Amino acid sequence: MGDIDIEKIKRDLEQSEKEAEERDARWKRTEEEVVRGILKYFDRIHDNLSNYNNLLIGAFFALAQLQQNVSRWTILIPVVNLWFLIYINYRLMEKSRFEASICSQPFDLITKHGKKISVTNLLSFFSILTTFLVTLSFLYYLAIYK
């Protein structure tokens, strides 16, 4: 039988450990970049929803001015949705504030924060639906415009 080269096995193990550490570091960097990307797209979605909602406010206002059978109170539909969007943005700002000092936060607040993020994500999805409903209501009022 051949001699076992213990030194070669040690070198190979060290090399494997070094490669694993480098791979883990690359994966960690990739993970951080992906999280930043998600936040970037999350912000873009909210910006687009807010801009679109502002457009709807103008459209509702113009429709109410041009047509007698459309109440001026319909302007409240997109305005309420805008306040909802502002509230979500406020929650996102508070999330960022908390995460800026996450290392100094007590563990029980971190757990509570995770639940709060889940609610904010759900509200964010709901804001897409409410903006869609505002659009449908505008299309309805546009359809009754004669």
Side-chain angles (χ1 to χ4, degrees):
M1 298 237 161
D3 290 324
I4 297 176
D5 188 359
I6 304 263
E7 290 303 314
K8 182 176 180 338
I9 292 172
K10 285 182 181 179
R11 282 191 309 274
D12 289 345
L13 279 174
E14 288 173 1
Q15 181 64 27
S16 293
E17 286 177 11
K18 183 179 177 185
E19 289 172 359
E21 287 173 2
E22 290 172 355
R23 181 196 63 231
D24 290 347
R26 280 192 311 273
W27 286 355
K28 188 69 174 166
R29 281 192 304 275
T30 300
E31 184 180 76
E32 290 169 358
E33 290 171 13
V34 168
V35 167
R36 276 193 297 271
I38 290 170
L39 292 174
K40 177 180 75 171
Y41 289 112
F42 199 63
D43 287 342
R44 287 182 67 196
I45 288 170
H46 281 276
D47 288 345
N48 288 332
L49 282 175
S50 293
N51 290 337
Y52 180 67
N53 197 73
N54 288 337
L55 231 163
L56 285 171
I57 289 172
F60 268 89
F61 186 73
L63 192 59
Q65 291 296 320
L66 296 174
Q67 186 56 27
Q68 297 296 327
N69 63 343
V70 177
S71 169
R72 290 188 177 155
W73 288 101
T74 59
I75 191 96
L76 290 179
I77 297 169
V79 168
V80 168
N81 195 52
L82 178 63
W83 281 104
F84 180 57
L85 292 168
I86 290 169
Y87 172 69
I88 293 171
N89 284 327
Y90 173 77
R91 287 179 67 108
L92 291 171
M93 179 191 66
E94 288 298 314
K95 170 192 158 308
S96 295
R97 258 192 208 152
F98 182 86
E99 290 174 355
S101 62
I102 196 138
C103 293
S104 63
Q105 299 293 338
F107 186 72
D108 62 323
L109 286 182
I110 293 172
T111 305
K112 193 174 174 182
H113 177 69
K115 292 175 185 172
K116 198 172 184 180
I117 291 172
S118 296
V119 171
T120 301
N121 290 341
L122 185 62
L123 289 174
S124 212
F125 174 70
F126 190 61
S127 73
I128 295 170
L129 294 177
T130 60
T131 302
F132 179 71
L133 291 175
V134 171
T135 301
L136 287 179
S137 66
F138 174 72
L139 292 174
Y140 168 75
Y141 285 113
L142 193 60
I144 65 169
Y145 177 71
K146 295 178 185 174

